[in-house]
């Protein structure tokens, strides 16, 4: 810890940067395609929605993976006293990611609606 380290030299920092970049792009595309009335054809919105949903699931996994990398690096670099806390945090993050995945794609598709349901409701016209 006494040594000076360079920034963005670990997988944790690169995954963090990737997570922030993907989140920002997802947010921007979501607003431009689905919120702002652009007159975009419904078939293009449907195509974007498939990618938007996939990226949304990726944004559940990426931050969790980034946090795991940060926890493992803190143990690797000798930050002591984090053993039990790191294990509890890792378990909590795993449960949180599993619950989000379950609610998004579990039995009955509790949150996400299909493109066909959205078309029937005509939310994107």
């Amino acid at each position: 810890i006494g040594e000076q380290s360079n920034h963005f030299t670990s997988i944790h920092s690169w995954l963090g940067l990737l997570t922030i970049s993907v989140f920002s792009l997802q947010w921007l595309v979501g607003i431009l395609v689905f919120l702002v009335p652009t007159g975009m054809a419904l078939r293009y919105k449907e195509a974007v929605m498939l990618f938007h949903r996939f990226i949304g699931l990726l944004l559940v996994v990426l931050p969790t993976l980034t946090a795991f990398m940060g926890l493992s690096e803190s143990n690797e670099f000798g930050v002591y006293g984090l053993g039990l806390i790191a294990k509890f945090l890792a378990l909590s993050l795993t449960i949180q990611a599993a619950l989000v995945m379950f609610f998004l794609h579990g039995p009955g598709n509790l949150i996400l609606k299909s493109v066909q349901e959205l078309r029937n409701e005509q939310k994107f016209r």
Side-chain angles (χ1 to χ4, degrees):
I1 292 186
E3 297 178 14
Q4 198 176 53
S5 63
N6 295 328
H7 297 288
F8 296 105
T9 57
S10 66
I11 189 71
H12 168 71
S13 59
W14 283 99
L15 280 176
L17 186 63
L18 177 67
T19 301
I20 291 170
S21 301
V22 170
F23 176 80
S24 300
L25 187 62
Q26 172 85 331
W27 184 80
L28 182 66
V29 169
I31 286 179
L32 291 177
V33 172
F34 300 114
L35 190 61
V36 176
T38 58
M40 184 182 291
L42 184 60
R43 64 182 175 165
Y44 295 123
K45 288 186 179 187
E46 289 173 356
V48 170
M49 182 187 291
L50 293 175
F51 288 106
H52 191 72
R53 289 169 71 172
F54 170 75
I55 300 291
L57 287 175
L58 184 65
L59 284 170
V60 172
V61 175
L62 270 178
T64 305
L65 184 61
T66 303
F68 285 152
M69 291 294 170
L71 288 171
S72 68
E73 283 181 19
S74 68
N75 287 334
E76 179 182 323
F77 292 128
V79 179
Y80 296 107
L82 287 179
L84 187 58
I85 295 171
K87 290 174 186 171
F88 177 75
L89 184 57
L91 180 63
S92 299
L93 287 169
T94 303
I95 291 170
Q96 180 263 340
L99 284 173
V100 169
M101 296 289 228
F102 173 77
F103 283 120
L104 290 177
H105 287 287
N109 203 7
L110 300 174
I111 294 176
L112 295 177
K113 293 184 178 183
S114 70
V115 172
Q116 186 62 39
E117 289 172 324
L118 290 171
R119 179 182 284 159
N120 291 340
E121 293 177 9
Q122 296 183 353
K123 285 193 172 194
F124 292 126
R125 291 191 179 200

